[in-house]
Amino acid sequence: MLERPISKAGWTRVAFGDVVRLSKARVADPEAAAIERVVGLEHIEPGDLRIRRWGDVADGTTFTTLFKPGQVLFGKRRAYQRKVAVADFEGVCSGDIYVLELANDRLMPELLPFLCQTDAFFDHAVGTSAGSLSPRTNWTSLASFEFLLPPIQEQARLVEALSASEAALNACQLATESGEELLRSMLIEAIPAVSTAKSRGLPLVRFGDVVAILDPNPSHRYPDYVEEGVPLVSTQDFVGEDGFDYAGCKRVPTSTFAEQKARCGFDELDVVFARKGVLGLSRYYGRDEKCFSHTIVIMKPRGAEITRRFLLWLTRSASFMGEIQRAMNSNSGVPTLGIETLNAVQVPLPSVAEQKLVVGQLEAVNQALGQLRSRRVSLFALKKYGLSELAGHN
């Protein structure tokens, strides 16, 4: 990305407000002004400089802050969320978003969004935010942020490197989105909705007749926690598409693990399924020893009618999720699936030969997606290095 370390010789210390100004353009009636798009904080993704989602002005909006292509949008509320984007269309945005533009020609316009993405800038924004529930920074504070401004030639070099990194990230993101859409389409074709399966004459079975659903913690009680022990996993500890994050887990004695293992078996290819809170997240048990809270059930094939690998994809299908959402119990205010409810769900069940064929195709796409996600992580690290060169060592 950067072929040689950057020398800071000739760089001059400036305040952010010396080279950037806050746009105060407003439009009283966006629809009358033929403005079509509205952007809120929820439409800006952390770490992504592109605005990929927006609302329609025609649906109604109270926002009046105008932005134009090339201007930078910075989320001033909860700045720790690191929301910065470059507009490539005209629209109006939330009052919790600052619209930034250049004050003069000392800073290249292409460098401004990258400057706003640096750790130093975010640290300053967060450090100057006020308010407990919804902290906000203000323009006066942002304008006081000091950094070393490179000469124009060095700015051009940084822009070239950071833009190349951003382009690679965007390409990787588009490829990932395409892969995810392909995976969804393949799942819908392989495991259609129950109504579609009926119209096609596909076999339907009661889920509990072919799958054993085990509760690793039916009492919902836990022993005293220990400093060193087996991680106790809850729904919130699911991470990524297939893994678990043990960092925030409480630990339980090995005797608790032995009890749960005796009850559930804990095979590497058992399906771990979230039945409370965020419903439907599923993944294999894996190789690490772990226990589970009452928010999770373990699923295993009862016999040879369904393969273990097909079971995972069945639980991830829109067909299965649609059936369980219609049947779920949410009387407590938190969506909860009982084992009896899961047992009663109807599901399409292809032949074992078809299951193996489908799984092979789905796993191939999923593996490619995993490689794309890993590549994106590497590209983010590369971009982060470039950003550190821009605002680091101030």
Side-chain angles (χ1 to χ4, degrees):
M1 180 179 174
L2 293 170
E3 297 176 357
R4 56 180 172 80
I6 292 178
S7 168
K8 297 297 176 79
W11 293 38
T12 56
R13 183 171 294 277
V14 298
F16 190 68
D18 293 338
V19 292
V20 178
R21 67 185 171 211
L22 180 65
S23 173
K24 297 183 179 179
R26 300 291 185 270
V27 55
D29 188 341
E31 190 167 11
I35 294 172
E36 299 179 352
R37 300 178 185 180
V38 56
V39 173
L41 278 176
E42 70 276 12
H43 298 126
I44 301 176
E45 292 297 325
D48 189 350
L49 288 178
R50 293 192 63 183
I51 303 173
R52 303 178 191 272
R53 298 182 297 118
W54 51 81
D56 294 324
V57 168
D59 293 335
T61 182
T62 59
F63 299 161
T64 60
T65 301
L66 179 68
F67 64 85
K68 296 184 177 183
Q71 291 179 318
V72 173
L73 308 187
F74 178 81
K76 68 174 182 179
R77 179 166 66 93
R78 295 176 179 154
Y80 56 81
Q81 294 181 334
R82 305 174 77 93
K83 294 192 173 186
V84 180
V86 182
D88 57 3
F89 56 84
E90 185 180 51
V92 289
C93 65
S94 163
D96 285 326
I97 297 174
Y98 279 143
V99 179
L100 306 177
E101 60 188 12
L102 296 186
N104 46 57
D105 61 0
R106 298 174 65 188
L107 178 69
M108 290 183 64
E110 299 88 351
L111 200 56
L112 174 56
F114 295 118
L115 176 62
C116 292
Q117 279 193 319
T118 61
D119 289 344
F121 188 75
F122 278 120
D123 289 346
H124 180 85
V126 172
T128 57
S129 295
S132 55
L133 295 178
S134 188
R136 291 172 171 83
T137 188
N138 58 62
W139 171 243
T140 301
S141 297
L142 282 185
S144 70
F145 169 69
E146 291 189 350
F147 67 101
L148 291 175
L149 180 68
I152 287 295
Q153 300 92 328
E154 203 64 64
Q155 289 185 40
R157 177 176 171 238
L158 283 164
V159 164
E160 182 181 7
L162 289 166
S163 296
S165 176
E166 190 67 21
L169 278 167
N170 283 329
C172 194
Q173 174 68 17
L174 288 173
T176 301
E177 290 172 358
S178 296
E180 289 170 346
E181 181 57 36
L182 174 61
L183 197 62
R184 282 191 292 269
S185 298
M186 291 171 65
L187 265 176
I188 290 171
E189 179 63 28
I191 309 171
V194 168
S195 58
T196 303
K198 287 179 179 178
S199 66
R200 291 187 191 172
L202 299 176
L204 293 169
V205 299
R206 183 176 175 271
F207 189 67
D209 289 344
V210 294
V211 176
I213 305 171
L214 307 174
D215 188 344
N217 187 13
S219 70
H220 296 186
R221 291 194 301 267
Y222 304 100
D224 293 335
Y225 298 116
V226 296
E227 289 293 327
E228 300 290 335
V230 181
L232 179 70
V233 174
S234 297
T235 304
Q236 66 265 24
D237 303 314
F238 286 28
V239 64
E241 300 299 314
D242 300 296
F244 303 95
D245 182 2
Y246 305 127
C249 291
K250 294 181 178 178
R251 303 277 168 162
V252 295
T254 54
S255 58
T256 301
F257 172 74
E259 291 169 7
Q260 289 200 1
K261 185 174 175 61
R263 183 180 299 114
C264 300
F266 289 162
D267 185 272
E268 182 178 342
L269 293 181
D270 285 348
V271 173
V272 179
F273 186 85
R275 65 165 178 146
K276 187 172 183 179
V278 183
L279 301 179
L281 298 176
S282 63
R283 56 215 55 212
Y284 292 128
Y285 178 87
R287 297 179 180 178
D288 301 327
E289 291 187 350
K290 61 189 79 71
C291 291
F292 297 100
S293 77
H294 64 282
T295 64
I296 289 166
V297 291
I298 308 298
M299 296 179 172
K300 301 170 178 282
R302 286 191 182 278
E305 292 177 90
I306 184 170
T307 70
R308 295 192 294 177
R309 293 186 182 277
F310 183 78
L311 173 57
L312 176 73
W313 291 104
L314 176 60
T315 62
R316 292 181 171 183
S317 69
S319 173
F320 187 73
M321 288 302 300
E323 291 300 305
I324 66 172
Q325 285 173 352
R326 279 190 286 273
M328 70 184 181
N329 169 27
S330 57
N331 293 335
S332 65
V334 178
T336 304
L337 277 165
I339 290 179
E340 299 80 7
T341 302
L342 284 166
N343 279 332
V345 168
Q346 276 195 311
V347 295
L349 191 65
S351 69
V352 169
E354 290 174 307
Q355 290 176 37
K356 290 180 178 178
L357 177 63
V358 165
V359 166
Q361 295 169 338
L362 292 170
E363 287 184 345
V365 175
N366 198 48
Q367 182 179 16
L369 278 170
Q371 292 170 347
L372 281 170
R373 293 184 182 111
S374 296
R375 173 63 175 158
R376 200 154 184 264
V377 170
S378 299
L379 288 170
F380 265 122
L382 200 59
K383 178 182 172 181
K384 190 175 180 65
Y385 170 74
L387 291 174
S388 70
E389 289 294 324
L390 171 59
H393 314 299
N394 283 350

